[in-house]
Amino acid sequence: MRGFDTMVDQCRHRLFSFAYYNLGDREEAKDVVQDVLIKLWENWDSIEKGRVMSWLLQVTRNRCLDIHRTRQTRTTLLRQNQNSIPPGQSMNRPENPETTLENSDFRRQVEAGLQVIEEPYRSIVILREIEDYTYAQICAALDMPLNTV
């Protein structure tokens, strides 16, 4: 398990950021990162060490997609049972009192915008514009051709 702790220290904040901007919910993002790091622990010996970050991003993205599917299913079931869901229900989160009004407004706009972008475009935007990955890194992480990215 040599290097595992170092890898976790290097990547957990980036994974959280990726999951948070993908999901728009801090608690779900924390759960995703925890799940991904457990999978890393379980598969540590079988992962090529030069591709660990790409592997982590793929697993994180897949877990986020699973959560989006669960949300869609839940929303569909609720609509069938209640005929409607109050608008913006999934985006209701308490504001961080330490941030300025301008920053919190911008963040809400970014988060809302990311929630309407379909995959794989959401992941590409998060990795490029928020995480500052290169296009080559995004290609490797999402297993997509450069032209698509």
Side-chain angles (χ1 to χ4, degrees):
M1 298 310 289
R2 176 177 281 160
F4 178 82
D5 291 336
T6 303
M7 179 53 68
V8 169
D9 288 340
Q10 291 173 354
C11 70
R12 74 171 180 250
H13 296 294
R14 281 190 161 219
L15 295 176
F16 173 79
S17 179
F18 179 65
Y20 174 72
Y21 280 103
N22 201 308
L23 298 170
D25 184 278
R26 287 187 185 283
E27 294 306 314
E28 283 182 325
K30 287 178 186 177
D31 290 344
V32 166
V33 171
Q34 182 176 2
D35 292 346
V36 169
L37 293 178
I38 289 170
K39 283 186 183 274
L40 177 63
W41 173 263
E42 293 170 346
N43 295 288
W44 181 252
D45 292 331
S46 64
I47 301 170
E48 183 182 325
K49 299 310 174 227
R51 295 199 26 89
V52 173
M53 194 61 195
S54 296
W55 184 89
L56 286 168
L57 287 170
Q58 287 177 336
V59 173
T60 303
R61 178 176 177 253
N62 290 340
R63 185 66 185 107
C64 289
L65 288 172
D66 291 342
I67 290 172
H68 282 291
R69 284 186 205 106
T70 301
R71 284 179 182 173
Q72 287 175 335
T73 302
R74 189 177 304 137
T75 300
T76 301
L77 291 173
L78 286 172
R79 285 186 183 179
Q80 289 173 351
N81 292 334
Q82 299 174 352
N83 294 332
S84 68
I85 295 175
Q89 180 177 355
S90 65
M91 292 302 291
N92 288 339
R93 288 182 305 281
E95 285 191 34
N96 182 351
E98 298 171 6
T99 60
T100 64
L101 179 60
E102 182 177 309
N103 287 341
S104 62
D105 285 343
F106 178 74
R107 178 173 285 220
R108 276 193 300 268
Q109 290 173 350
V110 168
E111 290 169 2
L114 287 171
Q115 295 308 308
V116 298
I117 299 173
E118 296 294 323
E119 281 297 331
Y121 309 110
R122 177 186 307 120
S123 293
I124 293 169
V125 169
I126 293 168
L127 290 173
R128 178 69 193 123
E129 300 302 326
I130 296 172
E131 296 294 324
D132 202 29
Y133 277 70
T134 66
Y135 291 107
Q137 290 171 318
I138 296 169
C139 291
L142 302 181
D143 195 28
M144 300 174 89
L146 183 61
N147 289 342
T148 304
V149 173

